[in-house]
Amino acid sequence: MRYAYAITSALLLGGAAATLTLNPSDAQTAQNEPGAINAISAPRAGAPMSFADMVARLSPAVVNISTTQRITVAQQANPFSGTPFEQFFGGRGGGGGAAPRTQEAQSLGSGFLISNDGYIVTNNHVVSAGAEGATVESITVTLADQKEYKARLIGRDELSDLAVLKIDGANFPYVRFGDSRQTRVGDWILTIGNPLGQSGTVTAGIVSALNRVGQGPYDRFIQTDAAINRGNSGGPMFDMQGNVIGINSQILSPTGGNIGIGFAIPAEQAKPIVDKLMKGQSVSRGYLGLTQQEITADIAAALNITKDRGALVNGVSPGEPAARAGVRPGDVILTVNGKEITAQQSLTYLVGNEAPGSRVTLDVLRDGKRQQIPVTLGTRPTNDQLAAQNERFDPDTAPTTPRATTNLAATAGLVVQPLTPQIARQLRLDSTIRGVVVADVDPNSDAATKGLRRGVVIQSVNRQPVTTEAELIRAIQQARASGAKQVLIYAQLPGSPFAQFVPIGIEAK
């Protein structure tokens, strides 16, 4: 930092500081036209030449968090059980079986006080069991003055990766949340935490990007190049006014260490959740009860829509809000309450930010026509409940009997037969599903390339229901006659809880 400022000072002394050049309002110039951008002659207003005073003020509110976990570990059976050597290895569990044993483990992270009476914000993963069969027995909070406190878990939210703790006492140093919506790419930021067990570590950097989409459905991170490592999780990200604009959460690294790509949960998203958790309330999110799939370039071409815009519905759960409102598989949902669905604003994200029981309007594209569907949202189930709902039998092969097809080109390389009640039972399908079953696939066809195989149930082609091979051929012929190079089939793949739309090429080879 001193080197960077020294260079700047030299430029100023040499008279090289640039001034804003005025141009006619209708004249377009290069974004970095010489003189169009002020030379960086000093830190932006509010940014200090040194972070020392700022750190001294903020550090007392940042805490270290450690957990003690009890892990149950299965032991190996005595390999000499039943032999003359068994008595020499009795401690390893005689009789062929071994009783499980427990062992202790610890984890470290960071957090920060948000009230003078001891409420602390951190990541959920900092205070959660880190392994299967593990339970958290105690949580210890260490302040900057090295005083230790036993903490109680007040609440946690797995989807946002946030948790609130409480320590007993009064007059604790604390910090407030700021407005992360004012944060800009390029702004200076400061982090304080406990990386790799090194308490009170301060790092500085800039905001590298905003609204970074993570692996979770509600992840929209602030990205930074400030050094963030294991143990920084749950610690605060400060702006130059000392406001908490983010909660350090994740890093992207092939090595597990800092490479300059760290992520923080924006204060805008965190504060409403923290407020609920402090009151002992659970965090609930809006829910439609449908599944969707990515709109690839092929699917976009088949539907004549724009790629990366909208959500293609490929399944609707019976009795859930979407089904009750009349949403159907094949619908493309374009907006939620006028907010466009994009890669940064997914359908799940937009709906999840609405309160359960609220009424939203979906702008839907169906059969090439737009219409609006009002929906009263339900409450999103937990991850475990959703996983249980999606659990489905996955046969290796469908117990069908292939039959000859005279012209594979006419069926785009597919050998199909009607879906009978017997086959539906063998495939564990809902009795209401209608279609044709794939008995065989030409390995050289695009259908095979796209993953279609024996046991797949095709319900429609270009939104036309098909229940016989003749209907399949007719739909493909109609598409070819219109000049189309592919069709969009709606297919139930073995093991999948819902059907999916799959574009397959239909050009004769």
Side-chain angles (χ1 to χ4, degrees):
M1 293 303 298
R2 288 194 298 271
Y3 175 78
Y5 288 133
I7 293 295
T8 300
S9 300
L11 288 174
L12 285 174
L13 291 173
T19 58
L20 184 66
T21 300
L22 298 177
N23 293 289
S25 60
D26 59 347
Q28 181 64 38
T29 62
Q31 298 300 106
N32 57 348
E33 187 77 17
I37 300 176
N38 286 326
I40 306 174
S41 58
R44 184 183 170 191
M49 295 292 287
S50 168
F51 297 113
D53 291 338
M54 185 175 171
V55 170
R57 184 76 177 175
L58 299 174
S59 288
V62 181
V63 304
N64 296 335
I65 299 173
S66 62
T67 67
T68 301
Q69 301 180 20
R70 183 70 60 181
I71 304 175
T72 301
V73 181
Q75 291 197 88
Q76 293 181 348
N78 185 352
F80 298 99
S81 177
T83 73
F85 300 100
E86 178 179 355
Q87 59 180 320
F88 299 107
F89 301 92
R92 295 187 60 186
R101 62 183 178 85
T102 59
Q103 64 184 35
E104 204 172 80
Q106 289 188 329
S107 66
L108 295 173
S110 306
F112 56 98
L113 285 147
I114 57 170
S115 69
N116 64 2
D117 57 348
Y119 281 96
I120 296 169
V121 174
T122 186
N123 285 146
N124 176 60
H125 74 260
V126 170
V127 293
S128 299
E132 185 176 353
T135 57
V136 175
E137 291 196 332
S138 66
I139 303 173
T140 301
V141 170
T142 305
L143 272 59
D145 60 7
Q146 300 306 306
K147 291 183 180 178
E148 293 187 354
Y149 298 82
K150 291 298 180 183
R152 304 190 310 276
L153 178 63
I154 301 301
R156 71 172 87 201
D157 179 52
E158 180 182 358
L159 288 174
S160 65
D161 194 24
L162 292 171
V164 172
L165 309 177
K166 179 71 169 64
I167 57 177
D168 293 330
N171 296 321
F172 291 112
Y174 68 96
V175 289
R176 302 181 187 276
F177 282 108
D179 186 357
S180 59
R181 294 171 299 180
Q182 304 302 316
T183 302
R184 304 187 307 165
V185 174
D187 280 348
W188 280 104
I189 59 92
L190 190 76
T191 72
I192 307 176
N194 183 39
L196 305 175
Q198 304 303 304
S199 61
T201 296
V202 180
T203 57
I206 64 168
V207 173
S208 303
L210 298 170
N211 295 317
R212 283 294 194 218
V213 177
Q215 295 181 345
Y218 307 106
D219 291 344
R220 299 296 182 275
F221 293 121
I222 298 172
Q223 181 184 330
T224 180
D225 66 346
I228 295 177
N229 288 285
R230 293 176 181 175
N232 271 117
S233 291
M237 172 186 284
F238 295 104
D239 64 14
M240 290 299 99
Q241 285 70 50
N243 299 310
V244 178
I245 59 167
I247 302 169
N248 302 319
S249 178
Q250 297 181 19
I251 60 173
L252 180 62
S253 171
T255 63
N258 170 62
I259 61 170
I261 305 179
F263 302 101
I265 304 167
E268 174 192 4
Q269 298 177 21
K271 189 176 186 306
I273 294 173
V274 168
D275 289 343
K276 284 190 174 183
L277 296 179
M278 287 178 65
K279 298 174 184 177
Q281 300 174 355
S282 60
V283 179
S284 56
R285 295 175 171 86
Y287 180 67
L288 283 172
L290 56 78
T291 59
Q292 55 183 305
Q293 67 182 91
E294 179 187 1
I295 299 180
T296 63
D298 285 345
I299 291 178
L303 292 174
N304 194 27
I305 60 176
T306 303
K307 182 178 179 292
D308 296 329
R309 290 292 185 275
L312 175 60
V313 179
N314 69 334
V316 180
S317 299
E320 296 293 351
R324 293 196 301 268
V327 178
R328 304 174 189 170
D331 286 347
V332 179
I333 302 176
L334 302 173
T335 68
V336 177
N337 280 350
K339 297 177 182 177
E340 187 178 20
I341 296 172
T342 64
Q344 287 72 37
Q345 287 194 144
S346 67
L347 176 63
T348 302
Y349 178 77
L350 291 175
V351 170
N353 285 329
E354 300 288 341
S358 62
R359 193 171 178 84
V360 300
T361 299
L362 307 179
D363 191 12
V364 173
L365 183 67
R366 178 181 295 170
D367 297 328
K369 299 179 180 178
R370 296 181 72 143
Q371 59 180 283
Q372 291 189 332
I373 300 178
V375 185
T376 300
L377 299 178
T379 301
R380 187 186 192 278
T382 65
N383 284 344
D384 290 342
Q385 290 171 332
L386 288 174
Q389 290 176 10
N390 292 336
E391 188 175 353
R392 195 180 184 91
F393 175 72
D394 184 9
D396 290 332
T397 59
T400 59
T401 303
R403 65 184 178 86
T405 297
T406 56
N407 187 1
L408 281 176
T411 59
L414 297 168
V415 178
V416 300
Q417 65 185 83
L419 177 64
T420 65
Q422 178 186 8
I423 294 175
R425 286 194 298 271
Q426 292 171 332
L427 291 175
R428 306 281 182 90
L429 297 176
D430 189 278
S431 61
T432 61
I433 292 178
R434 300 289 182 269
V436 292
V437 181
V438 175
D440 201 2
V441 183
D442 179 359
N444 298 316
S445 66
D446 189 53
T449 302
K450 297 295 176 57
L452 268 67
R453 58 186 174 89
R454 178 180 168 90
V456 168
V457 176
I458 298 174
Q459 300 181 43
S460 69
V461 176
N462 283 350
R463 303 297 304 279
Q464 300 178 40
V466 293
T467 56
T468 65
E469 183 186 74
E471 291 177 349
L472 173 69
I473 293 174
R474 184 160 53 250
I476 292 174
Q477 288 175 338
Q478 289 175 353
R480 283 176 174 154
S482 69
K485 296 181 180 180
Q486 59 187 8
V487 293
L488 194 64
I489 70 169
Y490 187 52
Q492 182 96 19
L493 279 64
S496 175
F498 293 104
Q500 295 184 3
F501 288 94
V502 183
I504 63 170
I506 56 175
E507 293 180 285
K509 294 183 179 181

